[in-house]
Amino acid sequence: MSIEMTKADVPGVPLLEVRDLHVEFRTREGAAKAVNGVSYSVDAGETLAVLGESGSGKSVTAQTIMGILDTPPGHITGGQVLYRGQDMLTWSEEARRQVRGNKIAMIFQDALSALNPVLSVGYQLGEMFRVHRGLSKKEARARSIELMDRVRIPAAKERVNDYPHQFSGGMRQRIMIAMALALEPEVIIADEPTTALDVTVQAQVMDLLAELQRDFHMGLILITHDLGVVADVADKIAVMYAGRIVENAPVHELYKRPAHPYTKGLLDSIPRLDHKGKELYAIKGLPPSLTAIPSGCAFNPRCAMARDICRTEVPPLADVAERDGSPLGGRTSACHFWKETIHD
Ligand SMILES: Nc1ncnc2c1ncn2[C@@H]1O[C@H](COP(=O)(O)OP(=O)(O)O)[C@@H](O)[C@H]1O
Ligand code: SF4
Ligand SMILES: [Mg+2]
């Protein structure tokens, strides 16, 4: 499979698409169904936020896209991961390696464990250029400093030989972003990139990521459990629950009018300035065990709107429309009662 063949943009074909993906972990307790039919896509210049509580399958989906899923115990039991329309799940490991880092790069939550503690950051950045671009040591070092400047690490030239532990958490995360950017990928998957940081630093790193995404016209998949951090940076949101997407919407639409009770619950549990003094809402109960996902709608034990049909029939991810039936573009919801949710 030649990657060169697939370079040009093909109209109507997303840059990166996950289609009906199923992943399970086979453990002694049974099969944990971590991903149960996830579909999403991202194009150049677009930011997709993937939102959901811990354990909803966000990272497993990302690992499957990157080709770094722990197999075993993880098994891909269905679906496709399409890069420019070609299913990477059918490719050789060699072909996947060509895409990883080069075309699709990943930023992890924990920079300290993702970076090598005994090598300087300049060495680790430079390695990308030496190994993948064949640059000399000197050229690689110059490019590393440039990149550190680009992600706004102060005094990059002086700090290029420092080790990861000599940087603050926010600066380390900038170094991770620089590593991901090094080979000028088309898509970056950022998995909870700011979760480990203080709130003020979180905003700075998120702003930087959004700026780079725009400047390089990349696709960005921004994985988070925090609806508060994505409002200003994402174009569209996919909300995950128990390994499924339960709602898709353009970001501002989702904030204004959620079409799924779970999304509504998430929104009501964000602290907001205009709600000062009011008690914060919390969705009752816990996400289900993935070895025993409730029948029907997986959210039904926690849903105040649940009725009989919710316990027996899995709600399909259906198009959402206005009261008069006119479609709400880009919006879907997996709730039997989405009409009541969005229109009431
Ligand atoms: N290496 C693993 N071994 C066994 N089970 C795993 C492993 N990684 C993930 N899982 C299962 O998949 C579920 C979803 O994980 P993950 O995608 O990491 O959730 P999150 O949405 O928080 O990123 C976990 O709750 C767990 O049951
Ligand atoms: S399908 Fe039923 S249980 Fe599920 S979210 Fe909708 S109302 Fe709640
Ligand atoms: Mg995760």
Side-chain angles (χ1 to χ4, degrees), residues 43-224:
D43 270 312
E46 185 179 52
T47 297
L48 161 73
V50 179
L51 177 81
E53 284 166 297
S54 174
S56 54
K58 306 180 300 292
S59 295
V60 170
T61 306
Q63 288 156 10
T64 309
I65 295 172
M66 290 303 288
I68 57 170
L69 181 73
D70 242 347
T71 316
H75 296 268
I76 300 166
T77 54
Q80 296 174 309
V81 177
L82 304 160
Y83 168 68
R84 296 187 176 281
Q86 301 195 34
D87 184 8
M88 294 194 290
L89 297 183
T90 66
W91 292 7
S92 67
E93 181 47 34
E94 176 49 33
R96 305 261 356 227
R97 228 192 336 262
Q98 283 184 45
V99 168
R100 207 177 298 139
N102 266 309
K103 304 289 181 195
I104 308 173
M106 189 150 170
I107 297 169
F108 298 92
Q109 174 180 332
D110 182 6
L112 205 48
S113 59
L115 293 166
N116 189 327
V118 300
L119 298 173
S120 72
V121 300
Y123 184 90
Q124 294 180 63
L125 277 167
E127 198 173 29
M128 307 286 290
F129 297 113
R130 291 192 305 275
V131 173
H132 297 274
R133 294 289 181 263
L135 298 192
S136 72
K137 241 175 128 170
K138 199 173 157 202
E139 290 166 328
R141 186 186 152 87
R143 292 294 299 278
S144 303
I145 294 169
E146 247 175 61
L147 258 182
M148 287 170 71
D149 270 332
R150 188 68 185 80
V151 297
R152 296 206 205 94
I153 293 174
K157 214 168 176 175
E158 285 78 57
R159 301 215 62 186
V160 64
N161 292 325
D162 284 357
Y163 292 85
H165 73 267
Q166 294 174 283
F167 291 85
S168 67
M171 287 300 150
R172 269 199 300 270
Q173 206 55 335
R174 288 170 192 265
I175 293 163
M176 282 280 291
I177 294 173
M179 298 269 283
L181 275 180
L183 305 178
E184 295 173 26
E186 295 171 312
V187 180
I188 286 189
I189 304 176
D191 192 354
E192 310 256 10
T194 64
T195 301
L197 307 175
D198 295 342
V199 177
T200 44
V201 182
Q202 260 186 16
Q204 291 162 5
V205 171
M206 197 55 78
D207 286 348
L208 172 70
L209 201 53
E211 173 196 316
L212 294 166
Q213 179 271 335
R214 274 193 308 271
D215 289 357
F216 291 90
H217 199 61
M218 292 181 293
L220 175 63
I221 299 177
L222 186 58
I223 296 173
T224 181

Side-chain angles (χ1 to χ4, degrees), residues 260-261 297 299-300 303 305-306 310 315 335-337:
H260 194 285
C297 173
F299 187 56
N300 84 70
C303 183
M305 283 175 59
C310 301
C335 172
H336 291 301
F337 302 104

